[in-house]
Amino acid sequence: MKHVILVLSGKGGVGKSTVSVNLASALSAHGRNVGLLDLDFHGPNIPKMLSIEGQKPAVLVHRIEPVHVTGTLSVMSMAFLLPDTSTPVVWRGPMERVAIQQFLDEVNWGTLDYLVVDLPPGTGDEALSIAQLAPNVRGAVIVTTPQDVAVLDAVKSVKFIEKLEIPVIGIIENMSGMCCPTAGIS
Ligand SMILES: Nc1ncnc2c1ncn2[C@@H]1O[C@H](COP(=O)(O)OP(=O)(O)O)[C@@H](O)[C@H]1O
Ligand SMILES: [Mg+2]
Protein backbone atom coordinates (compact mmCIF):
# COMPACT_ATOMS: atom_id res chain seq x y z
CA MET A 1 0.00 0.00 0.00
CA LYS A 2 1.79 3.08 -1.21
CA HIS A 3 -0.68 5.70 -0.03
CA VAL A 4 -3.37 5.24 2.60
CA ILE A 5 -6.00 8.01 2.69
CA LEU A 6 -8.53 8.28 5.52
CA VAL A 7 -11.96 9.79 4.97
CA LEU A 8 -13.58 10.99 8.17
CA SER A 9 -15.97 13.50 9.68
CA GLY A 10 -17.35 14.59 13.00
CA LYS A 11 -20.95 13.81 12.07
CA GLY A 12 -22.76 10.98 10.36
CA GLY A 13 -24.70 11.47 7.16
CA VAL A 14 -22.48 14.22 5.77
CA GLY A 15 -21.21 12.15 2.83
CA LYS A 16 -18.07 10.27 3.92
CA SER A 17 -19.03 7.04 2.18
CA THR A 18 -20.11 8.93 -0.94
CA VAL A 19 -16.80 10.81 -0.99
CA SER A 20 -14.84 7.58 -0.38
CA VAL A 21 -16.57 5.83 -3.29
CA ASN A 22 -16.03 8.82 -5.58
CA LEU A 23 -12.39 9.26 -4.56
CA ALA A 24 -11.60 5.56 -5.01
CA SER A 25 -13.46 5.39 -8.34
CA ALA A 26 -11.74 8.52 -9.66
CA LEU A 27 -8.29 7.24 -8.72
CA SER A 28 -8.96 3.86 -10.27
CA ALA A 29 -10.35 5.52 -13.43
CA HIS A 30 -6.92 7.18 -13.69
CA GLY A 31 -5.38 3.72 -13.89
CA ARG A 32 -4.23 3.47 -10.28
CA ASN A 33 -4.66 0.24 -8.31
CA VAL A 34 -7.09 1.16 -5.58
CA GLY A 35 -8.47 -0.57 -2.52
CA LEU A 36 -11.55 0.74 -0.74
CA LEU A 37 -11.80 -0.35 2.87
CA ASP A 38 -15.14 0.17 4.61
CA LEU A 39 -14.42 0.52 8.32
CA ASP A 40 -17.91 1.62 9.31
CA PHE A 41 -18.65 -1.69 11.03
CA HIS A 42 -22.01 -0.50 12.35
CA GLY A 43 -23.23 1.01 9.09
CA PRO A 44 -21.25 -0.54 6.24
CA ASN A 45 -22.71 1.22 3.19
CA ILE A 46 -19.97 0.91 0.58
CA PRO A 47 -21.26 -2.37 -1.00
CA LYS A 48 -24.75 -0.88 -1.41
CA MET A 49 -23.32 2.29 -2.99
CA LEU A 50 -21.34 0.20 -5.49
CA SER A 51 -24.19 -2.28 -6.10
CA ILE A 52 -22.07 -5.21 -4.93
CA GLU A 53 -24.13 -6.02 -1.84
CA GLY A 54 -24.74 -9.67 -2.58
CA GLN A 55 -21.07 -10.52 -3.08
CA LYS A 56 -19.13 -12.77 -0.71
CA PRO A 57 -15.35 -12.54 -0.61
CA ALA A 58 -13.58 -15.87 -1.18
CA VAL A 59 -11.72 -17.08 1.91
CA LEU A 60 -8.63 -19.16 1.14
CA VAL A 61 -6.92 -20.49 4.29
CA HIS A 62 -5.66 -17.26 5.88
CA ARG A 63 -6.30 -14.96 2.91
CA ILE A 64 -9.53 -13.15 2.15
CA GLU A 65 -10.00 -12.14 -1.47
CA PRO A 66 -11.52 -8.64 -1.66
CA VAL A 67 -14.44 -8.06 -4.00
CA HIS A 68 -13.09 -6.84 -7.33
CA VAL A 69 -15.34 -4.14 -8.77
CA THR A 70 -13.08 -3.49 -11.76
CA GLY A 71 -9.55 -4.56 -12.63
CA THR A 72 -8.23 -1.63 -10.58
CA LEU A 73 -10.77 -1.30 -7.77
CA SER A 74 -11.19 -3.80 -4.92
CA VAL A 75 -13.44 -3.49 -1.89
CA MET A 76 -13.55 -4.99 1.59
CA SER A 77 -16.43 -4.39 3.97
CA MET A 78 -17.92 -5.99 7.05
CA ALA A 79 -21.20 -6.07 5.09
CA PHE A 80 -19.80 -8.94 2.99
CA LEU A 81 -19.23 -11.03 6.11
CA LEU A 82 -22.64 -10.57 7.75
CA PRO A 83 -25.42 -13.07 7.07
CA ASP A 84 -27.86 -10.38 5.94
CA THR A 85 -28.23 -6.60 5.69
CA SER A 86 -30.17 -6.27 8.97
CA THR A 87 -27.67 -8.08 11.22
CA PRO A 88 -25.79 -5.64 13.48
CA VAL A 89 -22.18 -6.01 14.60
CA VAL A 90 -22.08 -6.01 18.41
CA TRP A 91 -18.45 -5.57 19.34
CA ARG A 92 -16.33 -3.71 21.80
CA GLY A 93 -13.38 -1.59 20.70
CA PRO A 94 -10.67 -4.28 21.04
CA MET A 95 -12.56 -6.60 18.66
CA GLU A 96 -12.77 -3.83 16.11
CA ARG A 97 -9.03 -3.32 16.35
CA VAL A 98 -8.44 -7.02 15.64
CA ALA A 99 -10.79 -6.87 12.64
CA ILE A 100 -8.97 -3.80 11.30
CA GLN A 101 -5.64 -5.58 11.64
CA GLN A 102 -7.07 -8.56 9.74
CA PHE A 103 -8.50 -6.34 7.01
CA LEU A 104 -5.01 -4.92 6.54
CA ASP A 105 -2.95 -8.11 6.88
CA GLU A 106 -5.18 -10.94 5.69
CA VAL A 107 -7.00 -9.37 2.77
CA ASN A 108 -5.27 -10.11 -0.49
CA TRP A 109 -5.10 -6.49 -1.67
CA GLY A 110 -2.16 -7.07 -4.01
CA THR A 111 0.02 -4.05 -4.74
CA LEU A 112 -2.06 -0.96 -4.16
CA ASP A 113 -1.27 2.59 -5.22
CA TYR A 114 -4.02 3.83 -2.89
CA LEU A 115 -6.08 2.45 -0.06
CA VAL A 116 -9.06 4.71 0.63
CA VAL A 117 -10.53 4.12 4.10
CA ASP A 118 -14.15 5.02 4.81
CA LEU A 119 -14.56 5.60 8.55
CA PRO A 120 -17.56 5.91 10.85
CA PRO A 121 -18.26 9.39 12.23
CA GLY A 122 -16.19 10.79 15.04
CA THR A 123 -12.79 10.33 16.53
CA GLY A 124 -13.23 6.90 18.07
CA ASP A 125 -11.54 3.52 18.05
CA GLU A 126 -11.70 2.81 14.32
CA ALA A 127 -10.01 6.07 13.34
CA LEU A 128 -7.35 5.67 16.02
CA SER A 129 -6.69 2.02 15.16
CA ILE A 130 -6.35 2.50 11.41
CA ALA A 131 -4.09 5.52 11.93
CA GLN A 132 -1.82 3.38 14.10
CA LEU A 133 -2.00 0.08 12.21
CA ALA A 134 -1.95 1.05 8.53
CA PRO A 135 1.34 1.68 6.78
CA ASN A 136 1.95 4.89 4.79
CA VAL A 137 -1.00 6.93 6.04
CA ARG A 138 -0.45 10.00 3.85
CA GLY A 139 -3.37 12.10 4.90
CA ALA A 140 -7.00 12.56 5.77
CA VAL A 141 -9.93 14.03 3.91
CA ILE A 142 -12.45 15.61 6.28
CA VAL A 143 -16.05 15.79 5.12
CA THR A 144 -18.58 18.25 6.49
CA THR A 145 -21.81 19.99 5.50
CA PRO A 146 -22.45 23.74 5.87
CA GLN A 147 -24.48 23.46 9.09
CA ASP A 148 -22.87 24.96 12.18
CA VAL A 149 -23.15 21.71 14.13
CA ALA A 150 -21.39 19.75 11.37
CA VAL A 151 -18.61 22.33 11.08
CA LEU A 152 -18.17 22.33 14.86
CA ASP A 153 -17.57 18.58 14.80
CA ALA A 154 -15.39 18.77 11.66
CA VAL A 155 -13.03 21.07 13.56
CA LYS A 156 -12.66 18.29 16.14
CA SER A 157 -11.78 15.85 13.37
CA VAL A 158 -9.10 18.24 12.09
CA LYS A 159 -7.60 18.56 15.58
CA PHE A 160 -7.71 14.79 16.05
CA ILE A 161 -5.86 14.22 12.77
CA GLU A 162 -3.30 16.90 13.63
CA LYS A 163 -2.73 15.25 17.00
CA LEU A 164 -1.89 12.01 15.19
CA GLU A 165 0.54 14.01 13.02
CA ILE A 166 -1.31 13.06 9.84
CA PRO A 167 -1.67 15.81 7.20
CA VAL A 168 -5.17 17.07 6.41
CA ILE A 169 -5.14 16.84 2.62
CA GLY A 170 -8.59 18.28 2.09
CA ILE A 171 -11.79 19.49 3.70
CA ILE A 172 -14.91 18.89 1.64
CA GLU A 173 -18.03 20.92 2.27
CA ASN A 174 -20.61 18.52 0.91
CA MET A 175 -24.25 19.32 0.18
CA SER A 176 -23.38 23.03 0.07
CA GLY A 177 -26.57 23.91 -1.78
CA MET A 178 -28.82 21.98 0.57
CA CYS A 179 -28.89 24.13 3.63
CA CYS A 180 -32.30 24.52 5.16
CA PRO A 181 -33.27 28.17 5.76
CA THR A 182 -36.89 27.22 6.52
CA ALA A 183 -35.68 25.27 9.54
CA GLY A 184 -33.69 28.28 10.69
CA ILE A 185 -30.37 26.55 10.39
CA SER A 186 -27.53 28.33 8.62
N1 LIG B 1 -23.74 15.86 -2.49
C1 LIG B 1 -24.80 15.09 -2.26
N2 LIG B 1 -25.98 15.33 -2.83
C2 LIG B 1 -27.06 14.58 -2.58
N3 LIG B 1 -27.06 13.50 -1.74
C3 LIG B 1 -25.91 13.21 -1.13
C4 LIG B 1 -24.71 13.97 -1.36
N4 LIG B 1 -23.71 13.43 -0.60
C5 LIG B 1 -24.27 12.38 0.05
N5 LIG B 1 -25.57 12.26 -0.27
C6 LIG B 1 -26.51 11.25 0.28
O1 LIG B 1 -26.61 11.49 1.69
C7 LIG B 1 -26.73 10.26 2.41
C8 LIG B 1 -25.60 10.17 3.43
O2 LIG B 1 -24.34 10.07 2.73
P1 LIG B 1 -23.22 9.07 3.21
O3 LIG B 1 -22.14 9.15 2.18
O4 LIG B 1 -23.79 7.74 3.53
O5 LIG B 1 -22.75 9.81 4.55
P2 LIG B 1 -21.83 9.28 5.76
O6 LIG B 1 -20.97 8.19 5.20
O7 LIG B 1 -21.05 10.49 6.18
O8 LIG B 1 -22.76 8.82 6.84
C9 LIG B 1 -26.68 9.17 1.37
O9 LIG B 1 -28.00 8.79 1.07
C10 LIG B 1 -26.03 9.82 0.16
O10 LIG B 1 -26.45 9.23 -1.05
MG1 LIG C 1 -20.75 6.20 5.83
Side-chain angles (χ1 to χ4, degrees):
M1 289 169 192
K2 292 187 199 155
H3 307 284
V4 174
I5 299 173
L6 312 182
V7 179
L8 72 161
S9 73
K11 282 243 176 296
V14 295
K16 284 176 301 303
S17 301
T18 309
V19 165
S20 302
V21 165
N22 282 314
L23 183 59
S25 303
L27 288 166
S28 86
H30 278 81
R32 305 292 194 273
N33 279 326
V34 183
L36 176 53
L37 176 56
D38 181 359
L39 283 191
D40 193 343
F41 294 131
H42 305 283
N45 297 146
I46 296 288
K48 169 89 178 164
M49 287 183 175
L50 285 168
S51 301
I52 49 170
E53 275 176 298
Q55 307 260 357
K56 292 280 168 216
V59 181
L60 315 156
V61 196
H62 291 301
R63 304 299 279 175
I64 305 169
E65 195 63 27
V67 171
H68 301 289
V69 182
T70 65
T72 54
L73 179 61
S74 307
V75 177
M76 190 61 212
S77 170
M78 185 53 77
F80 297 139
L81 308 176
L82 296 169
D84 57 61
T85 51
S86 63
T87 303
V89 168
V90 185
W91 279 352
R92 293 191 190 278
M95 277 296 286
E96 291 176 347
R97 193 178 169 89
V98 170
I100 291 170
Q101 184 84 67
Q102 288 183 328
F103 279 171
L104 290 171
D105 294 347
E106 292 176 26
V107 171
N108 190 21
W109 292 109
T111 307
L112 290 182
D113 295 310
Y114 293 94
L115 180 73
V116 176
V117 183
D118 180 33
L119 283 159
T123 53
D125 277 329
E126 295 91 339
L128 204 51
S129 295
I130 190 75
Q132 291 168 344
L133 298 174
N136 304 329
V137 179
R138 303 289 187 212
V141 175
I142 316 275
V143 184
T144 183
T145 54
Q147 287 83 7
D148 288 349
V149 284
V151 175
L152 197 69
D153 293 346
V155 172
K156 281 190 190 153
S157 301
V158 171
K159 293 207 166 141
F160 169 77
I161 285 300
E162 284 175 350
K163 237 181 199 153
L164 298 175
E165 298 182 351
I166 295 171
V168 174
I169 54 179
I171 300 177
I172 295 178
E173 186 191 73
N174 191 24
M175 308 193 213
S176 300
M178 293 191 191
C179 221
C180 27
T182 49
I185 300 167
S186 62

